[in-house]
Amino acid sequence: MALDRISIQDFRNHAATTLDETARFNLLVGANGAGKTNVLEALSLLAPGRGLRRAKLPEMARAGGTGGFAIGAEVQPLDAAEPVRLGTSVEPARPTRRRVRINGAEASALGLSEWLSVRWLTPAMDGLFTDSAGARRRFVDRMVLANVPQHATIANRYEGALRDRNRLLADEVAPDPRWLDALEAQLAEHGAALAANRRQLIEQLDTALLAQDDTHFPRPRLALEPVGPEEREALARALRDNRGADRRAGRTLIGPHRAELAVTLASKGVPAALSSTGEQKAMLIAIVLAHGGLAAQGRAGVLLLDEVAAHLDPDRRAALFERLEANGEQVWMTGTERLPFDAILLQAAVWDVSGGTLRRI
């Protein structure tokens, strides 16, 4: 078991919600707008980042509440005897600042990933393969973070140096070459590490997907297409050589921030973006399931699935539940009714959700 003794206060439409005695499979059932996805979003904030909706912090506070919110849970690490208490909150006086506590002590958001590996799949992600390249990079980085907690620090340092370089390039006054030298050294160092983490994950995922039975979920092939070199010294040289073009554009045109995730339906050799909506959904589920076997690595694993079973036929639902059980993570699912989840109800904790309140069934 990963998460238990969960408390959610003044978050979205939840005034004071608690979830105790959780299980391997956890099901939230209720009408649309009842607050099911809000629970998943709250759990997603027990990881670094902006959560599964990528919303701004003030938007998450309950209307009519204090103006802040608090989320807490106990996690049982795989290699620790005692549970660890994780918490994140926003104070009304500072609604744009997120605070994190681990066992009551102030910590950084990145510290959460040392204890917990959180992944999710939501209906908003169904258009991933036709979305922007940036959306696919964020998808890859979220998967990398579930495997490598240090990846968030590397990405933040790269993005900081990138912002500074772009600011210099866009200035009317020609930048001092020594400043560019220093920033490009940082970009090359962190960019090479960023690219290496991504490439390792994509190679591992592609191998795992090849080993999966594709009877129910079509097998995608994955590849990472770089824009510019990925090795540290070569990237530093390329950034220096590209200063003229970058200055004319007012931004950095090469580097791992421009990389593209290429996804192809293996059985047809067709890009995922040109596949049917059903094939795209099935490939996305296949990726998430394959990643489940790679994630966590000694940390507690949590998978959040929002309305994942609603549009699957009975055979695919059965295959999904079988894979989820084999992956070993704690799973949180939402649905408007219990019927699609009959196969796992006997081993699931089930809550009825209505108007931001929960009742154990």
Side-chain angles (χ1 to χ4, degrees), residues 7 20 26 65 95 172 254 323:
S7 63
D20 291 325
N26 300 274
E172 293 182 2
I254 61 171
R323 296 269 190 92

Side-chain angles (χ1 to χ4, degrees), residues 291-310:
H291 184 239
L294 306 174
Q297 297 182 350
R299 295 167 291 145
V302 174
L303 178 59
L304 312 175
L305 299 175
D306 193 16
E307 300 289 351
V308 71

Side-chain angles (χ1 to χ4, degrees), residues 8-356:
I8 303 171
Q9 298 180 357
D10 276 338
F11 184 83
R12 298 289 189 183
N13 68 335
H14 291 268
T17 289
T18 59
L19 299 99
D20 291 325
E21 299 181 6
T22 59
R24 225 350 258 301
F25 289 101
N26 300 274
L27 177 60
L28 304 168
V29 181
N32 293 328
K36 307 183 299 295
T37 304
N38 294 341
V39 174
L40 299 192
E41 183 181 23
L43 298 182
S44 75
L45 291 175
L46 294 174
R50 295 170 56 182
L52 59 79
R53 283 191 176 111
R54 292 183 55 78
K56 296 179 180 178
L57 292 174
E59 297 174 0
M60 302 180 194
R62 184 174 65 91
T66 63
F69 63 81
I71 301 160
E74 283 188 357
V75 57
Q76 181 62 59
L78 302 180
D79 57 352
E82 296 295 325
V84 175
R85 186 70 185 176
L86 305 179
T88 186
S89 62
V90 169
E91 297 176 350
R94 306 185 71 176
T96 60
R97 181 176 180 266
R98 178 183 173 192
R99 299 184 65 185
V100 169
R101 289 185 178 275
I102 300 176
N103 280 339
E106 200 82 22
S108 72
L110 298 179
L112 294 169
S113 61
E114 297 179 9
W115 300 99
L116 190 64
S117 172
V118 184
R119 307 182 300 121
W120 55 78
L121 181 61
T122 70
M125 296 167 61
D126 287 353
L128 179 71
F129 303 128
T130 56
D131 204 339
S132 67
R136 287 184 288 280
R137 284 192 297 273
R138 287 192 296 271
F139 176 67
V140 171
D141 284 335
R142 172 57 61 182
M143 288 193 291
V144 174
L145 181 60
N147 294 28
V148 185
Q150 301 83 2
H151 187 71
T153 300
I154 295 168
N156 287 343
R157 289 174 178 171
Y158 180 85
E159 290 169 5
L162 181 65
R163 284 194 299 271
D164 289 342
R165 186 177 188 267
N166 286 345
R167 193 177 300 116
L168 290 178
L169 292 171
D171 200 312
E172 293 182 2
V173 179
D176 187 329
R178 292 172 296 180
W179 290 359
L180 290 176
D181 287 341
L183 289 172
E184 287 162 6
Q186 294 178 43
L187 284 172
E189 176 185 356
H190 304 309
L194 189 71
N197 286 346
R198 288 173 177 170
R199 190 160 297 284
Q200 181 181 44
L201 171 79
I202 295 303
E203 290 174 354
Q204 291 175 338
L205 262 181
D206 199 50
T207 299
L209 285 163
L210 284 174
Q212 282 192 352
D213 175 15
D214 65 351
T215 303
H216 299 289
F217 299 104
R219 182 185 297 134
R221 296 301 308 270
L222 309 180
L224 200 62
E225 299 177 348
V227 177
E230 295 181 333
E231 295 76 17
R232 180 174 177 174
E233 293 183 1
L235 179 55
R237 286 195 301 271
L239 287 167
R240 184 177 61 250
D241 294 343
N242 216 52
R243 286 177 186 176
D246 289 350
R247 179 136 171 81
R248 289 190 293 274
R251 65 186 188 282
T252 304
L253 298 174
I254 61 171
H257 62 286
R258 300 290 304 277
E260 171 65 285
L261 173 65
V263 183
T264 305
L265 179 57
S267 62
K268 297 181 180 180
V270 175
L274 300 179
S275 300
S276 71
T277 302
E279 288 171 332
Q280 290 181 14
K281 176 75 171 184
M283 282 190 284
L284 187 56
I285 292 174
I287 292 171
V288 171
L289 291 174
H291 184 239
L294 306 174
Q297 297 182 350
R299 295 167 291 145
V302 174
L303 178 59
L304 312 175
L305 299 175
D306 193 16
E307 300 289 351
V308 71
H311 303 294
L312 298 179
D313 59 48
D315 287 343
R316 277 188 172 172
R317 281 201 300 269
L320 171 65
F321 297 146
E322 183 179 342
R323 296 269 190 92
L324 291 175
E325 189 164 8
N327 279 348
E329 297 172 290
Q330 186 185 50
V331 183
W332 292 79
M333 295 173 285
T334 66
T336 56
E337 56 182 356
R338 284 185 284 175
L339 183 60
F341 303 93
D342 272 352
I344 60 165
L345 284 180
L346 292 179
Q347 55 182 314
V350 184
W351 287 270
D352 177 75
V353 186
S354 177

